Amino acid sequence: MTKGNINVSVENIFPLIKKFLYSDHEIFLRELISNATDATLKLKHLTSIGDSKSEYGNPQIEVKIDKDAKKLHIIDQGLGMTAEEVEKYINQVAFSGAEEFLDKYKDAAKDSGIIGHFGLGFYSAFMVAEKVEIITKSHKDEPAAHWTCDGSPEFTLEESDKTERGTEIILHIAEDSTEFLEEGRIGELLSKYNKFMPIPIKFGMKTETLPKPEDAKEEDPAPTQEVDNIINNPNPAWTKQPTDLEEDDYKNFYRELYPMQFEEPLFNIHLNVDYPFNLTGILYFPKMTNDLNIQKDRIQLYQNQVFVTDNVEGIVPEFLTMLRGVIDSPDIPLNVSRSYLQADGAVKKISSYITRKVADKLKSLFNANREDFEKKWDDIKIVIEYGMLSEEKFFDKADAFALYPTVDGTYYTYEELYNKIKAKQTNKDDKLVILYASDTDAQHSYIEAAKAKGYEVLLLDSPIVSHLIQKLETTKENISFARVDGDHIDNLIKKEDTSISKLSEEEKTKLDELLKEVIPAEKFSIQLEAMDSDASPFIITQPEFMRRMKEMQQTGGGGGMFGMGNMPEMYNLVVNTNSELVGDILNTKTKKKQERLINQSLDLARLSQGLLKGEELTNFIKRSYDMIK
C-alpha cells in the first residue's frame, strides 16, 4: 500500500473547492458521469482501432444509492486505470489544474461555474463527500487499484481484488449533503443533466409487463419482470441524420424534451454542420403569443450530449430564444461564464449560422406551401418581426417570407404589397403611404373610409409594430406608414387639393373661435378641413409621430429620451367645414344651444375612439336621453 501527500502547495485545497464552488454543488453528478462516459467512449475507440485487447460489449454506467451506509456509487465499464495512471491523473494532473484554477478564478469562481474547465471534474465530488474512494481495473492486463482520500492532501493507494474492467467511484456523503442520498433528488439530477448521454445509465430496477401467454385466461394478471431502469435516451433525434427521421420522430422528440407541453410545435429546423465548427441540434417553433415576456430558457444547450444550460442568450440570437429545442456543440466550453461565451469567436459564428439556417428554413417553408405558412403567420410573426428588428442579416433575408396581412385577410410580401398599392396610395409628393390598423373593431369607421377610396389597410397588431415600421421606413425607399386613425383619410394620403369649403374665410374664423371657447385647448388641437359633406362632422385623430413614440417607449427603446411617458395625451380634432351639422352649429342663434351641439358632437367623436369614460360617459348618455325626450 502506498501512502502519500498530494503534491500541492495550497495548504488544504478541499475546503477551498467546497467554498468557491458551493453555489453549484449539484453538478458533481454531471461531472462524474461525464468522466464515466468519456472512459467508455475512449475504450470504444481503442477497441475499434485494435489498440485494446478488451471486448467492448454493451457497457453501461450505473448509479447506486446506499442510504444506510451514506454512500453514492457511480460505476462504469470503461477504460479503467492502472495504479500508475491513478497516481498521474488523480494525484498530479487534476491537482495542478486545481491550483491553476484557484490562482486564476478565486474571486470570480462563484459566478463562473468554471469547475471542469481545468480537469477539476473529479474533485467536484469533494463538494458533497467527506471521503472519496476509486476502485478501478484497467483494460490492460494489470492489477486493479484502490485509491482513498478523506478531503485532506493525504491519500492511500493499494491493490484491489476488482476483476471487472472499469471504475467505481464511492462517495461517502457529508452531513450537509444528505439530499444526495434521496432517490428523488438523484433521479431529478440524472433527468436534468444526463437525459441524453450517449451511454445507457442504469438507476435501480423497474417492473415491466410481459405479454400474456396464449393459454392465459382473461382474468389472469399479465406476467411481469424486473429489468434495469435505464434513465436516458443514448440516441436522441438530433444525433441522427435528417434523412433518417420522419415527421413523427421530430414530434416524439419534442414530447420527450417537454413532457408538459400539450400543443404540437408548428415546425422544426434540423441543424447539422461540421465546418467551420461542429454543431447539431433541432429547433422548434412553438405557437407564439403577442406577449414578449413569454418563457425563454427553453432551448437546451449540450456539449457532446451532456446538458450544459438552458440559458442560451449570447449563443443563440436573442430573437430565437423564444424557440424551443436542443443545440449540441463540442466547440462550446462546458463550464464557463456568460461573458466569456459572448466574447468567444466560435460562439459568434454559431450565432450567425443559426440565424442564417432559420431564415433559409422559413423561406423554404413559405415557397413549399404558402397557404400553410399564411395560416401559421399569427403564431410565428412575433419571432420574425423581432428578428427583422434585431439582426441585420435576418432583416435582409426576411423580404422573401415576411408577410403583411390586410384587414380582409389577404397576405402580401413587401414586394407584392408595394406593387399592389403603388398606383393608388402614392401621395402628391410622390411618397408611398402604407395604411395600417392595429384594432379592426376600434378603428372600424376609419378602415371603412379608407376602403371606400379603394385603399388597402394592413392589420399590424404585434406589440413591436412601432419599432418595425420605423425600421422599414428608414430602410425602404420613399415610403411612410400611417395608422388609419391618424388623421382624416384625405390628409393621410394627400392628393392634389381640390376640396372647396362651403364656408367663407370670415365664417371659418368665427367657427374656430367658437370651438376654442368650448373645447379644451390642452387636450385638442383644432383643424378645420373641407371634406365630403357626408363625412363625419368631427373626427378625433392622434398624431402618428406622438402615438408611435409612446408605443415604442412602452415596449422598450425609442422615445425614452424625449420623456414621452410624461406628456399629456394630445389629439387632433378635425372639423369638417362642409358638414351640415357644422353649418348648423355656426348658424345657431343661442350660445347655450351652440355649446350643447359642440359638446354632443365632440363626445360622439370621443365615443368612436373609446375616449369617453367614467363620469363623462354617464353624463353623455343622460344628455342623449334628454335630447330624445
Side-chain angles (χ1 to χ4, degrees):
M1 178 169 92
T2 310
K3 279 190 174 184
N5 261 27
I6 294 164
N7 181 20
V8 61
S9 59
V10 177
E11 244 332 287
N12 195 341
I13 208 156
F14 297 100
L16 290 171
I17 286 174
K18 192 157 192 166
K19 180 181 167 193
F20 286 121
L21 303 173
Y22 201 74
S23 58
D24 218 5
H25 63 321
E26 69 173 36
I27 61 141
F28 81 92
L29 191 61
R30 177 188 79 180
E31 295 296 329
L32 296 178
I33 289 179
S34 294
N35 288 350
T37 304
D38 283 349
T40 312
L41 293 174
K42 278 174 185 157
L43 178 71
K44 185 180 189 177
H45 177 66
L46 292 180
T47 54
S48 72
I49 61 170
D51 268 14
S52 176
K53 296 185 173 71
S54 197
E55 281 283 317
Y56 181 66
N58 294 304
Q60 61 181 28
I61 294 163
E62 183 176 7
V63 178
K64 272 197 316 199
I65 296 172
D66 181 347
K67 203 167 178 179
D68 296 335
K70 294 190 177 171
K71 290 195 287 193
L72 181 67
H73 302 249
I74 291 110
I75 306 158
D76 71 56
Q77 296 161 1
L79 213 53
M81 288 182 281
T82 62
E84 198 181 325
E85 286 167 336
V86 171
E87 172 64 42
K88 181 180 174 187
Y89 293 116
I90 301 297
N91 294 341
Q92 290 169 26
V93 174
F95 263 107
S96 61
E99 280 198 273
E100 188 183 339
F101 160 75
L102 286 169
D103 270 2
K104 211 165 175 183
Y105 289 96
K106 207 179 275 185
D107 300 328
K110 267 210 162 54
D111 309 322
S112 64
I114 203 150
I115 188 157
H117 196 48
F118 290 101
L120 263 179
F122 166 69
Y123 281 99
S124 62
F126 286 98
M127 294 194 292
V128 299
E130 58 192 17
K131 182 167 95 172
V132 178
E133 299 178 63
I134 302 172
I135 304 169
T136 182
K137 169 100 171 92
S138 170
H139 68 113
K140 300 168 189 166
D141 189 16
E142 288 197 36
H146 184 176
W147 178 92
T148 309
C149 181
D150 63 0
S152 72
E154 291 170 8
F155 69 89
T156 63
L157 181 59
E158 56 191 328
E159 261 194 37
S160 156
D161 55 6
K162 178 175 168 68
T163 54
E164 289 177 356
R165 177 199 72 215
T167 300
E168 176 172 8
I169 292 178
I170 304 165
L171 277 64
H172 297 257
I173 299 293
E175 279 306 318
D176 61 3
S177 298
T178 52
E179 64 183 281
F180 299 113
L181 293 168
E182 300 299 330
E183 236 175 81
R185 181 73 170 116
I186 295 295
E188 173 201 331
L189 292 181
L190 290 171
S191 177
K192 178 176 176 180
Y193 291 112
N194 307 105
K195 197 173 176 177
F196 300 112
M197 294 290 270
I199 306 296
I201 299 167
K202 174 187 172 184
F203 183 50
M205 306 293 284
K206 66 177 179 185
T207 306
E208 200 174 66
T209 305
L210 298 169
K212 282 187 183 182
E214 282 179 23
D215 56 352
K217 296 178 182 152
E218 203 174 318
E219 63 272 16
D220 288 350
T224 59
Q225 67 176 15
E226 289 290 295
V227 293
D228 288 352
N229 179 32
I230 302 297
I231 57 94
N232 60 325
N233 170 2
N235 304 300
W238 85 80
T239 61
K240 299 172 184 173
Q241 288 299 317
T243 47
D244 298 336
L245 295 167
E246 304 287 333
E247 196 53 43
D248 275 355
D249 297 317
Y250 287 110
K251 283 182 179 167
N252 291 338
F253 180 57
Y254 185 76
R255 286 188 209 107
E256 202 176 336
L257 280 175
Y258 309 106
M260 300 313 288
Q261 273 298 323
F262 303 111
E263 277 195 332
E264 294 282 341
L266 296 165
F267 47 80
N268 62 72
I269 296 167
H270 199 127
L271 306 167
N272 196 347
V273 64
D274 52 20
Y275 182 81
F277 47 81
N278 281 293
L279 179 133
T280 51
I282 299 170
L283 295 179
Y284 293 92
F285 267 78
K287 277 197 166 186
M288 293 289 172
T289 63
N290 269 350
D291 181 7
L292 279 175
N293 300 316
I294 51 173
Q295 172 80 45
K296 292 186 181 179
D297 297 0
R298 288 291 198 179
I299 295 175
Q300 299 175 9
L301 181 67
Y302 288 77
Q303 190 215 59
N304 290 327
Q305 293 176 241
V306 182
F307 176 78
V308 179
T309 180
D310 56 8
N311 188 336
V312 293
E313 283 177 48
I315 298 160
V316 172
E318 195 184 349
F319 77 102
L320 294 176
T321 56
M322 292 184 262
L323 303 189
R324 296 189 181 139
V326 165
I327 289 170
D328 188 334
S329 174
D331 295 331
I332 292 175
L334 187 56
N335 292 294
V336 286
S337 66
R338 180 79 47 76
S339 56
Y340 174 90
L341 275 180
Q342 285 167 345
D344 187 68
V347 171
K348 283 188 175 142
K349 284 189 191 125
I350 286 170
S351 177
S352 64
Y353 163 76
I354 293 169
T355 300
R356 192 178 77 240
K357 192 78 180 170
V358 169
D360 291 346
K361 175 72 175 188
L362 289 166
K363 184 181 176 181
S364 75
L365 286 165
F366 174 76
N367 291 341
N369 188 342
R370 176 162 179 167
E371 193 183 338
D372 185 56
F373 194 85
E374 288 179 359
K375 277 185 198 151
K376 289 172 176 165
W377 178 253
D378 272 350
D379 292 314
I380 61 173
K381 67 183 177 195
I382 194 84
V383 177
I384 293 171
E385 290 171 354
Y386 193 12
M388 288 168 73
L389 273 175
S390 57
E391 295 280 331
E392 212 50 58
K393 285 178 182 163
F394 188 81
F395 180 85
D396 296 340
K397 283 178 170 280
D399 259 358
F401 53 78
L403 292 176
Y404 299 87
T406 70
V407 288
D408 298 322
T410 309
Y411 291 83
Y412 296 112
T413 63
Y414 181 79
E415 192 182 352
E416 290 165 352
L417 176 70
Y418 184 87
N419 292 331
K420 171 87 174 137
I421 66 174
K422 189 170 55 177
K424 279 193 174 168
Q425 289 178 223
T426 301
N427 68 13
K428 64 184 175 64
D429 301 321
D430 216 28
K431 195 170 213 180
L432 182 71
V433 181
I434 300 170
L435 300 174
Y436 72 99
S438 57
D439 183 328
T440 48
D441 288 339
Q443 293 150 9
H444 183 265
S445 61
Y446 299 92
I447 293 167
E448 289 306 304
K451 281 162 70 174
K453 298 248 178 205
Y455 298 156
E456 287 283 358
V457 180
L458 300 182
L459 176 60
L460 303 177
D461 58 0
S462 78
I464 53 175
V465 83
S466 314
H467 298 272
L468 182 65
I469 60 184
Q470 198 92 340
K471 169 91 176 162
L472 288 162
E473 285 172 341
T474 52
T475 315
K476 305 287 185 190
E477 292 256 323
N478 212 18
I479 64 154
S480 72
F481 280 77
R483 202 167 85 178
V484 73
D485 59 345
D487 204 336
H488 181 260
I489 190 64
D490 291 341
N491 289 339
L492 289 177
I493 305 179
K494 275 201 158 123
K495 304 289 185 179
E496 293 308 327
D497 200 7
T498 53
S499 51
I500 297 164
S501 176
K502 289 180 182 176
L503 303 184
S504 66
E505 288 305 313
E506 196 182 329
E507 286 174 314
K508 279 200 254 180
T509 307
K510 189 180 167 192
L511 176 65
D512 191 47
E513 286 166 1
L514 190 60
L515 293 166
K516 281 177 178 162
E517 281 174 25
V518 181
I519 292 166
E522 70 278 8
K523 288 187 182 171
F524 295 100
S525 165
I526 297 165
Q527 283 172 234
L528 301 185
E529 300 274 357
M531 300 187 287
D532 292 345
S533 55
D534 56 358
S536 298
F538 282 24
I539 299 168
I540 291 174
T541 62
Q542 190 171 23
E544 177 80 16
F545 167 77
M546 186 176 287
R547 195 205 65 250
R548 211 187 278 185
M549 293 308 281
K550 283 183 95 77
E551 283 174 1
M552 285 169 76
Q553 193 186 32
Q554 281 160 8
T555 52
M561 67 194 90
F562 300 109
M564 284 288 168
N566 312 321
M567 287 190 70
E569 289 281 356
M570 270 295 288
Y571 294 92
N572 294 330
L573 177 65
V574 182
V575 177
N576 181 4
T577 59
N578 290 339
S579 157
E580 195 181 331
L581 178 63
V582 172
D584 289 348
I585 290 171
L586 189 62
N587 298 320
T588 296
K589 297 288 180 268
T590 69
K591 205 83 170 145
K592 205 169 177 187
K593 191 176 177 190
Q594 268 178 335
E595 275 184 26
R596 204 171 75 234
L597 285 173
I598 291 168
N599 281 324
Q600 191 70 2
S601 302
L602 177 64
D603 282 353
L604 281 164
R606 289 168 78 198
L607 188 67
S608 78
Q609 273 282 48
L611 296 172
L612 201 58
K613 292 178 180 130
E615 189 182 353
E616 290 178 320
L617 179 59
T618 308
N619 292 341
F620 167 77
I621 292 167
K622 189 167 177 292
R623 194 169 68 232
S624 302
Y625 279 134
D626 290 344
M627 283 179 162
I628 296 168
K629 281 189 271 182

